Amino acid sequence: LDLDAPQHQHLFLTVAVGFQAQTVKEVFAKQLMQINGISGEKAVAILRHYDSVARLMRAYEDCPTVGGREKLLSNIKCGNTQRNLGPTLSKTVSQLYCTEGPLC
């Protein structure tokens, strides 16, 4: 069985490793939820504004200052209470996506 053959790749991924196709939005949501303090509810709120990493990155690029990038997500309303995401989580997300090199 040649697993590199196109007709077998899908079979291998779905059966052997339980792979499920995911949308870019789903992968981005899962990535966001790996950040301490970002719940599914907060990830969904961010996704309402930026449905992909690429769109979020473009928004960060449009911010002329580091402070602007750090505050970009702070006023996003989350959940039933419609509380702001807040400056701390906004800064954490911006540092994750905007820091070049290793995070220390």
Side-chain angles (χ1 to χ4, degrees), residues 20-89:
Q20 293 181 4
Q22 295 179 327
T23 66
V24 170
K25 199 171 187 177
E26 290 169 336
V27 172
F28 185 34
K30 287 181 180 184
Q31 190 177 55
L32 287 169
M33 289 187 293
Q34 296 305 306
I35 300 169
N36 190 28
I38 303 276
S39 62
E41 190 173 77
K42 290 175 182 175
V44 167
I46 293 169
L47 287 167
R48 284 191 188 116
H49 294 268
Y50 307 101
D51 63 354
S52 69
V53 174
R55 289 196 182 182
L56 178 61
M57 294 305 295
R58 278 194 293 272
Y60 282 136
E61 289 169 6
D62 290 342
C63 292
T65 65
V66 171
R69 287 189 293 272
E70 290 177 350
K71 293 175 185 170
L72 180 69
L73 306 178
S74 62
N75 291 323
I76 290 179
K77 305 292 184 196
C78 304
N80 294 333
T81 61
Q82 292 296 289
R83 292 182 64 189
N84 289 339
L85 185 69
T88 302
L89 282 176

